[in-house]
Amino acid sequence: MQKNAESPAGNDVESTSPAAGAKQRKPSNDVFYKFFDELTATANKNISDKLNSVVTTLASNKGDIGDICDQLCLDYSFLYFIQNRKRAYPTDRLGIFCEKYANMSCHELALGVRKPVMLPKIQSSIARTLIRLDSLFDISKVIINKYAPLATKAAHGPSRTDLTLSRIRELANDLQLTPMRAQALYWGNADNISLLFQPSHKNSIVRRIEKRNNAFVKMTTAIMAAFLVDQPLDYLICEDYTRTCEIAYRGDNGEPIVITDPKIIRVISIYLALPEDKQCEMFADILLRDLQFSVAFSSIFQF
Amino acid sequence: MYRVARTPNVLSADEYNRLKDFVCSHDADKYGIPYEQRVREFEKYDNSMYDSNHRPYAKLYPSLHSLPKALSIAGMGIKDVYNDVWDTPLRWPDEQSERVASTIDAMCEDSENMPFINQLCSTIRSYIASWWDTEEWTSSNITGRVKFCYKKIFALDERASLPSDVQSIMERLVLKSNSITALELPRICEVFHVSFHWLVGYPSSVLVLGKNPITEEFMDVYMRLSQGHRDHFEALILKAPEFITKQVKA
């Protein structure tokens, strides 16, 4: 890991080629690492290609390259390094690029696969409840009007390490396990953990993110984590993943249902931008309406 | 006296004797049962615990399941025994659970809130992770439940970072499966964040910390939620009485 003096915020950057940095991890014979190294190389190539095409298009339209750099929070020299595949695109700024220029999700851009974010239990129950209630009353509008002014978090915030960890914790919460235990469960049979799947192993994602005090997670780690939790990259690196990626929830039979209603997407987006206590309040507000409605409905049928 | 080897989840001689001494003393007067009646009844109960058919000199100590029946002689509850007799305070694991339990207790006083609480309880059930719905709970005793919880919740190398007293209990359980005692259960409930009522497997009619059976049943379910979900549902439950009042007025 190197510090690049030319990077705008002085953040950590990761290099993609051996020439770019003196300190490189030795190429590993480990099958596990090889697989993810190849995926990362592909992702970096795809992102760099897309960036090149965007820059070329803008240049041909006489757009100002300086404006693009400002919008992407990258300085020109750093942009040059990424274009020439000497540096990987920083994961904390990938969301802005995808939203503004690439018009696709980070996962699709990096790995070429379109995949919706499967909402965790709390968000999916909000979505499911609103879909049910909206057919009778326009609850979404009320919720949006009430909570939109309280949304304080930026859609693409500066630090991503905490975000990635909190997203893994969120999914572990759904399973009611500690994040380590959840990882062991995802990656193998947790009752008979082999060395590779043991959370104390060097490949442990949670420990890897916790121990390395980086400003944002490296692309390899982000991809490994995405495989770990079976979610697209957007879920782990974007504060508001509804802006870049499709969202879905599981239906009664377990099949994924993609949410297309813009109002519901807006509600989820607001939920993600709220502080934690307000998130709880919003959840309570929606569920209470639903509970009240179901109680009233069942009492009518009793009569 | 010939003593029977301890079977799992049965009170030890010391625990039982302390209980007997307390019940047969004037300290238990505050629970409302007259002294003579209480002592007479408890003596009868004590004598009935000899296994007269098979081993006449062997005394069988009560299990935690049969304890509420013994305590009813003195008008006491499980919580009173832990707090007053065994000096091991039995309480909700955290303030959050305490707040929720007191709100549900208050809501239960109005019978019109019952459908709402039942609906809420069934909603919460859908948030509980599927690994709780195994047959192991119904088939196993308290020791089995403690072991299963420990194995399920914590990853291998996280078990080393648990508090030392709980670690020593779990190490002992590995060597001797029936070695858990009644006095260790409150601490285990606190660390594993499970309801004592649920861990022992009492029916909802037995009250441990709640004031009515519905609260006990509700808290059994609520405490199986993960921390993030508990925060969300706490906000919902604390807001519910005000919301219901508003709706009724409207």
Side-chain angles (χ1 to χ4, degrees):
Chain A
M1 185 57 62
Q2 288 181 309
K3 290 272 178 190
N4 186 3
E6 292 167 330
S7 74
N11 281 338
D12 300 320
V13 290
E14 56 178 313
S15 55
T16 55
S17 66
K23 206 176 175 185
Q24 278 286 316
R25 180 164 54 76
K26 281 181 191 172
S28 170
N29 290 325
D30 195 337
V31 179
F32 182 86
Y33 267 132
K34 266 189 178 173
F35 172 69
F36 284 108
D37 278 348
E38 280 167 18
L39 270 185
T40 313
T42 317
N44 286 332
K45 181 180 170 294
N46 291 346
I47 295 166
S48 160
D49 289 349
K50 186 71 188 175
L51 188 66
N52 279 334
S53 72
V54 167
V55 170
T56 316
T57 318
L58 284 169
S60 64
N61 293 339
K62 294 180 182 174
D64 188 0
I65 197 77
D67 289 347
I68 307 169
C69 291
D70 286 348
Q71 283 182 9
L72 297 179
C73 309
L74 303 169
D75 68 8
Y76 184 72
S77 55
F78 193 53
L79 190 72
Y80 171 81
F81 275 126
I82 298 168
Q83 280 180 292
N84 291 293
R85 294 188 209 162
K86 306 230 178 221
R87 292 276 184 271
Y89 201 101
T91 52
D92 61 339
R93 280 156 262 175
L94 191 57
I96 311 173
F97 176 65
C98 289
E99 189 190 338
K100 291 190 175 165
Y101 296 103
N103 292 327
M104 58 173 84
S105 71
C106 301
H107 194 82
E108 194 179 351
L109 176 65
L111 303 174
V113 183
R114 204 170 171 187
K115 190 177 180 184
V117 172
M118 293 307 301
L119 293 174
K121 275 185 187 172
I122 294 282
Q123 283 95 312
S124 64
S125 74
I126 287 177
R128 206 179 291 122
T129 309
L130 286 178
I131 288 168
R132 194 167 55 236
L133 291 182
D134 270 359
S135 56
L136 302 162
F137 326 101
D138 199 359
I139 299 290
S140 304
K141 202 177 169 186
V142 179
I143 296 291
I144 290 169
N145 290 340
K146 189 174 174 185
Y147 288 97
L150 304 175
T152 50
K153 285 186 203 163
H156 302 287
S159 172
R160 286 290 164 273
T161 312
D162 292 346
L163 178 77
T164 311
L165 274 177
S166 71
R167 291 280 153 85
I168 294 175
R169 258 184 229 119
E170 191 175 43
L171 290 173
N173 235 337
D174 280 359
L175 297 169
Q176 219 211 335
L177 304 170
T178 54
M180 286 286 182
R181 173 77 190 175
Q183 174 174 341
L185 198 69
Y186 273 119
W187 279 10
N189 181 3
D191 291 331
N192 182 22
I193 298 169
S194 68
L195 185 64
L196 183 64
F197 300 132
Q198 208 168 336
S200 58
H201 192 256
K202 60 181 178 177
N203 291 333
S204 162
I205 292 299
V206 180
R207 213 153 267 177
R208 201 181 159 106
I209 300 170
E210 274 173 354
K211 273 190 180 172
R212 297 182 183 186
N213 194 19
N214 295 342
F216 57 87
V217 289
K218 284 173 74 176
M219 184 56 90
T220 320
T221 315
I223 292 175
M224 282 163 95
F227 269 71
L228 156 69
V229 296
D230 195 19
Q231 290 276 24
L233 275 174
D234 306 63
Y235 180 76
L236 296 163
I237 60 175
C238 299
E239 187 83 55
D240 184 357
Y241 47 78
T242 58
R243 290 181 180 234
T244 54
C245 195
E246 286 177 329
I247 51 174
Y249 64 94
R250 295 223 176 269
D252 295 334
N253 303 326
E255 77 289 355
I257 301 169
V258 177
I259 301 169
T260 49
D261 188 346
K263 270 191 210 165
I264 311 278
I265 295 172
R266 176 84 180 116
V267 170
I268 299 292
S269 167
I270 290 170
Y271 175 88
L272 293 172
L274 288 173
E276 273 182 31
D277 55 331
K278 294 290 172 196
Q279 284 183 345
C280 296
E281 200 182 311
M282 181 175 166
F283 171 80
D285 208 350
I286 295 168
L287 261 270
L288 274 173
R289 285 166 204 267
D290 184 42
L291 283 169
Q292 191 67 19
F293 176 72
S294 4
V295 169
F297 198 68
S298 60
S299 63
I300 289 168
F301 268 82
Q302 274 176 5
F303 285 112
Chain B
M1 186 187 287
Y2 180 83
R3 284 186 60 189
V4 179
R6 281 194 63 201
T7 51
N9 319 316
V10 172
L11 299 189
S12 68
D14 177 46
E15 286 156 9
Y16 176 71
N17 288 336
R18 278 166 74 182
L19 175 64
K20 189 183 167 187
D21 291 347
F22 185 84
V23 170
C24 299
S25 71
H26 283 290
D27 292 344
D29 285 350
K30 61 180 174 181
Y31 297 108
I33 308 285
Y35 177 74
E36 286 82 8
Q37 183 192 338
R38 197 171 63 225
V39 172
R40 198 170 51 244
E41 291 288 322
F42 207 83
E43 284 295 327
K44 265 190 215 167
Y45 173 76
D46 194 41
N47 290 336
S48 71
M49 283 194 300
Y50 287 92
D51 188 2
S52 54
N53 289 338
H54 305 293
R55 292 144 95 182
Y57 302 109
K59 187 166 184 176
L60 302 172
Y61 293 105
S63 66
L64 274 172
H65 282 276
S66 60
L67 195 61
K69 195 182 162 191
L71 293 176
S72 65
I73 294 168
M76 294 165 76
I78 301 284
K79 189 184 168 186
D80 304 323
V81 181
Y82 272 95
N83 291 350
D84 298 344
V85 183
W86 293 334
D87 300 326
T88 312
L90 183 62
R91 51 181 174 238
W92 298 114
D94 54 8
E95 286 179 3
Q96 190 186 49
S97 312
E98 209 171 324
R99 277 197 297 271
V100 169
S102 59
T103 312
I104 296 292
D105 271 334
M107 283 175 79
C108 285
E109 284 169 12
D110 188 356
S111 60
E112 283 184 5
N113 290 336
M114 283 306 146
F116 185 86
I117 295 172
N118 291 335
Q119 188 74 31
L120 183 59
C121 200
S122 64
T123 309
I124 291 180
R125 266 180 221 280
S126 65
Y127 281 78
I128 294 174
S130 57
W131 61 267
W132 288 98
D133 303 326
T134 50
E135 285 180 8
E136 221 160 333
W137 301 125
T138 46
S139 60
S140 62
N141 52 24
I142 302 171
T143 317
R145 286 176 176 218
V146 170
K147 270 187 186 173
F148 190 60
C149 253
Y150 176 70
K151 213 169 71 177
K152 279 282 177 186
I153 298 174
F154 303 103
L156 272 183
D157 45 352
E158 275 177 330
R159 293 173 195 172
S161 59
L162 284 173
S164 56
D165 52 342
V166 176
Q167 255 186 63
S168 63
I169 295 170
M170 301 317 295
E171 280 163 14
R172 192 149 41 78
L173 273 185
V174 173
L175 298 171
K176 193 181 175 191
S177 63
N178 57 5
S179 60
I180 201 159
T181 66
L183 300 188
E184 288 161 350
L185 287 178
R187 179 68 180 142
I188 288 171
C189 289
E190 199 180 322
V191 174
F192 290 0
H193 208 286
V194 288
S195 149
F196 182 90
H197 185 271
W198 171 82
L199 192 69
V200 181
Y202 285 133
S204 56
S205 56
V206 175
L207 303 182
V208 179
L209 290 166
K211 286 179 187 162
N212 58 60
I214 291 168
T215 311
E216 286 293 356
E217 208 173 315
F218 185 88
M219 291 308 287
D220 287 356
V221 181
Y222 175 80
M223 284 172 69
R224 271 185 274 163
L225 289 172
S226 54
Q227 183 58 51
H229 294 174
R230 276 203 300 272
D231 292 345
H232 281 77
F233 275 100
E234 189 207 1
L236 192 153
I237 291 159
L238 298 184
K239 220 176 167 186
E242 188 195 345
F243 183 83
I244 292 170
T245 321
K246 264 187 195 173
Q247 291 291 311
V248 170
K249 276 182 188 171

